[in-house]
Amino acid sequence: MSAGADGGIVDGRRCRSCAEVSAFPWPACPACGGAVEPASFGPFGKVWSATVVRIPVPGRTPPYRLAYVDLDDGPRVLAHVQADGAAERVVAASIGSRVRLLPDTDEGDLLVEVVES
Amino acid sequence: MKVAVHGVGTSHFGRQPERDLVSLAWAAVREAFADADVTAVDAVWVGTVFGPAGVAQRVLRAMGITGIPVITVENACASGTTAFAEAHEAVRTGRYGRVLALGLEQMSTAFAGAITPEATDPEGRSGLALPALYAMAAARYLHDGAVTPAQLAAVSVKNHAHALHNPRAQYSGSFTVEAVLGSRMIADPLTLLQCCPTSDGAAAAVLGPARPGAVGVRSVVLRSGAPWNHRSPHVWGHDVVRDTAADAYAAAGIEPADLDVAEVHDAFTIGEIVTTEALGLVGPGEGGKAAESGRTALGGEQPVNPSGGLLSRGHPLGATGLAQLAEIVWQLRGDAGRRQVDGARLGLVETMGGGVSVLDGNACVIAVLEAP
C-alpha cells in the first residue's frame, strides 16, 4: 500500500478484458486470465462484513477487529479495524460503515478507521 | 463402468495425541477391508492436508500396502472426498479394478488452537483464523436478516444431539440454544460450541465395480472456487457449493428433494446453514429455520449430519470427507443403529475446503449415493 492525499491507497491491478479488479500485483486476471494493468484503489470503502477475533492466534494479541472492506470502485480487501476503546468492550465494525485506509500496521496489514457508522 | 463402495471404515475421532497416524489409519483400513471382504487393492488415493512429505507411503507400508500406485492429494477440508472422487474415476474408467481411498489427519500434535490460512495471503497474515472467516459469513447473514442467533445455535444443538448416538464421535451433548450462545465467544458472532473441535482421525473406503449389496455411486463432482469478491451475490463458499451440486444432481439424474439424508460441511454452524441453502435442500434464507424447526434433524423431513457432523464427530481435515462417506454408506445399508434415517435410499456427501485468498473455496466435492 502507498500513501495518498486522503489516506492509504492499495496498489493493485485491473483487467483489460473483463474489468475485474484485484488488490494483488498478479500477472493475470484471476477471473478470466486476461492482461492486467496497474490500478490504485482507496482510500474510502464500505464494510461488507466484520468480526472480532477473541482467540489466541500466533503473533497476535486478541481481541482484534477485522473487516472485509469493499473499496470504492475497487476490490474487496481484508483489513484490521482501528481499535475504538478498551479491549473488554471491543465490538465488530458495523456492516455498511464507511471506512478509510490508514497507513499499514507494523505487521504490514491493511488498517482502516471507521469514518461513518 | 458403474462404481460401488464395497466397504468403509473409520478410526475413533477425537484428540488422540498418544496415537500415531499408523494406528489411526490401521483402524480405518482394517475395518474397510473387512467390510469389503478384501485383503488387497490395486491402487490407493490418500487425502491429507498437514501430513509431512511421504506420509501416505509411510503409513501404508506399516500395513503391508506396498508396491502399488499411491497418490496423495490435498484440497484443504475436501482432501478426503478428493481422494474418493479420484478413486471413483479410476474405477469408472477401468484404470484400476479395486481402489482404496484413505483420509487421515493428526491435528492435535500440530495446532494449539484454530487453524490460520497460509501466511502469504492476507487472511493468514492478518490473523483471520478459520473461525473468523466463517464468522464474516455469519455476521453478514445476521445483518441481512437471513438467520437469527438462535437459529445458528440450533445447528449446534441438533448435531451434538445426533452424535449422542455415534460412538465414534469426538464428543456430544444435550445442549440448549442458551448454552450454545452462552459458550465462550471465539469470533463474533460464533461461540465455542458453534466451532468444530481439533481432531485426530482416519477414514477409508474400498471402491470397485457395482455389485449386489453394495452402495452405488450415482455421481461425484469436484470443482474449485472462482473468485469471490465485491461482485459476489452470496457469502463466501456459497456459489461453489451451488455450482458443484448442480453438476452432481444432473449427473445423478435427481433433484435435491429426492435426497433422504445428507452429510455436509458444518465446520461452523453457519457453514451448515449456507450449505443446505446452496445445495437446494432448503430455500434461500431457510437454512436456519430448517435447523430450528427440526426439518434437518433425525426424524425430520431431510436429516442433515446424522453422524453429528464436523461440529460433533470432529474434523480431522483429510479424514473428514471419507468419514462423511462412511456415514452415508451405513445409512443407505441400514447399518446406522440409533441414528438410522428410516428407509434412506438416496444420500449426499458434501465437503468444501477453503483458505486461499480471493477464491470462493479451494475445492468442493459432492457425491450422490444410492442404497443397494
Side-chain angles (χ1 to χ4, degrees):
Chain A
M1 194 188 76
S2 57
D6 303 318
I9 295 292
V10 171
D11 298 310
R13 297 288 186 271
R14 179 179 282 108
C15 178
R16 288 178 179 154
S17 301
C18 76
E20 174 89 357
V21 288
S22 110
F24 303 91
W26 295 332
C29 171
C32 77
V36 293
E37 59 191 11
S40 298
F41 311 105
F44 293 100
K46 193 165 96 170
V47 173
W48 176 80
S49 192
T51 188
V52 179
V53 179
R54 299 186 188 274
I55 51 171
V57 172
R60 302 279 165 183
T61 306
Y64 53 94
R65 310 163 83 199
L66 287 168
Y68 274 118
V69 172
D70 290 347
L71 294 173
D72 294 352
D73 302 314
R76 179 170 293 166
V77 294
L78 178 68
H80 283 263
V81 181
Q82 198 173 46
D84 68 342
E88 59 270 21
R89 289 194 305 274
V90 62
V91 295
S94 298
I95 291 173
S97 299
R98 293 288 295 167
V99 296
R100 177 169 62 180
L101 284 165
L102 297 172
D104 286 352
T105 66
D106 293 344
E107 294 87 3
D109 303 330
L110 292 182
L111 176 68
V112 296
E113 66 171 350
V114 175
V115 294
E116 187 185 328
S117 291
Chain B
M1 182 184 302
K2 288 201 165 196
V3 182
V5 181
H6 290 188
V8 292
T10 80
S11 71
H12 182 71
F13 296 92
R15 276 181 182 274
Q16 306 172 81
E18 74 289 355
R19 294 180 72 175
D20 60 13
L21 278 171
V22 168
S23 159
L24 294 168
W26 175 237
V29 172
R30 185 179 49 186
E31 183 181 12
F33 274 24
D35 192 30
D37 194 22
V38 300
T39 54
V41 291
D42 303 318
V44 188
W45 263 264
V46 176
T48 185
V49 181
F50 297 107
V55 61
Q57 288 84 354
R58 200 168 292 118
V59 163
L60 291 167
R61 72 177 176 194
M63 51 191 84
I65 302 174
T66 56
I68 58 170
V70 173
I71 303 103
T72 304
V73 296
E74 185 272 309
N75 256 342
C77 304
S79 297
T81 23
T82 296
F84 171 72
E86 292 304 301
H88 171 270
E89 190 65 6
V91 174
R92 189 188 69 80
T93 57
R95 182 177 172 191
Y96 300 116
R98 199 161 52 206
V99 178
L100 172 68
L102 170 65
L104 56 126
E105 207 77 52
Q106 190 150 36
M107 311 282 294
S108 70
T109 52
F111 293 93
I115 306 170
T116 49
E118 165 65 28
T120 51
D121 275 347
E123 279 73 2
R125 200 179 58 236
S126 299
L128 189 81
L130 261 298
L133 176 60
Y134 278 88
M136 292 283 193
R140 185 72 208 192
Y141 253 54
L142 287 169
H143 173 80
D144 291 343
V147 75
T148 66
Q151 289 169 351
L152 282 171
V155 174
S156 170
V157 170
K158 170 178 76 73
N159 292 353
H160 286 103
H162 286 173
L164 290 169
H165 308 301
N166 185 355
R168 301 173 195 237
Q170 180 154 357
Y171 78 117
S172 59
S174 301
F175 299 109
T176 61
V177 164
E178 292 70 29
V180 172
L181 294 177
S183 62
R184 186 161 59 92
M185 188 62 79
I186 302 299
D188 304 20
L190 298 179
T191 54
L192 180 65
L193 287 170
Q194 301 189 57
C195 303
C196 60
T198 298
S199 315
D200 307 320
V206 175
L207 284 74
R211 70 180 189 189
V215 166
V217 183
R218 286 279 288 265
S219 70
V220 53
V221 175
L222 184 158
R223 176 187 281 256
S224 289
W228 174 80
N229 57 29
H230 58 291
R231 293 199 290 213
S232 302
H234 296 108
V235 299
W236 179 82
H238 175 283
D239 290 1
V240 68
V241 174
R242 177 199 60 196
D243 296 344
T244 310
D247 290 348
Y249 296 150
I254 67 156
E255 300 289 331
D258 298 331
L259 292 164
D260 299 306
V261 58
E263 284 278 312
V264 310
H265 199 76
D266 62 331
F268 303 89
T269 50
I270 185 66
E272 178 172 313
I273 289 168
V274 172
T275 300
T276 50
E277 295 175 10
L279 288 170
L281 298 177
V282 299
E286 302 288 325
K289 291 189 189 82
E292 194 172 46
S293 70
R295 186 185 189 289
T296 50
L298 275 171
E301 204 175 318
Q302 242 174 350
V304 172
N305 288 326
S307 71
L310 284 56
L311 282 171
S312 196
R313 181 191 60 237
H315 184 24
L317 304 195
T320 282
L322 286 156
Q324 294 174 307
L325 179 81
E327 175 69 15
I328 292 299
V329 166
W330 292 323
Q331 290 284 350
L332 296 175
R333 295 195 313 213
D335 291 340
R338 292 185 59 200
R339 59 183 195 284
Q340 180 65 46
V341 175
D342 288 340
R345 299 287 308 163
L346 270 181
L348 176 139
V349 170
E350 180 272 346
T351 334
M352 200 281 277
V356 171
S357 190
V358 172
L359 294 185
D360 191 32
N362 302 13
C364 176
V365 177
I366 293 178
V368 176
L369 300 119
E370 66 182 337

